[in-house]
Amino acid sequence: MSVTFTAELGDDSVNMSNAKAARVLAALGYSELCGDEGADAFLGRVLLALAIEPEDCGRPSLTEGRYIDCGRPEGYIQMRLLELHVLAEQAHRAGLHVAWG
């Protein structure tokens, strides 16, 4: 399963797994894996998260029976926030919403 962030009717997107998307969405102040918001508000959330989110130290992968968590590399949250910043700015210039799900 994955979550894709897109600028409504746009071609650019940022895609990540559900677990990693949940962590990024939490940094943005969201609690749902799907939704949409105007580009201005989304851009504001991204800028705020970039300013206050502590540096992501990553998480090692984990396997317990049939459960597999691939972990995440150091700096992952900030890398994804920077990608979302680019997407949000493009959506802002085009007057679009940002949607994810």
Side-chain angles (χ1 to χ4, degrees), residues 50-100:
L50 282 167
I52 66 171
E53 185 67 21
E55 182 67 28
D56 182 12
C57 60
R59 193 176 72 229
S61 61
L62 169 71
T63 302
E64 290 183 1
R66 294 176 55 193
Y67 175 78
I68 299 172
D69 181 336
C70 295
R72 70 177 183 271
E74 189 174 317
Y76 181 85
I77 303 301
Q78 285 72 26
M79 176 188 72
R80 291 308 201 157
L81 287 172
L82 289 170
E83 292 173 358
L84 291 174
H85 181 254
V86 171
L87 180 74
E89 284 188 324
Q90 292 171 346
H92 171 73
R93 283 191 298 271
L96 301 173
H97 275 226
V98 175
W100 60 94

Side-chain angles (χ1 to χ4, degrees), residues 10-29:
D11 295 333
D12 294 326
S13 64
V14 176
N15 189 23
M16 58 191 89
S17 71
N18 280 355
K20 291 175 181 163
R23 181 65 187 86
V24 171
L25 286 163
L28 294 170

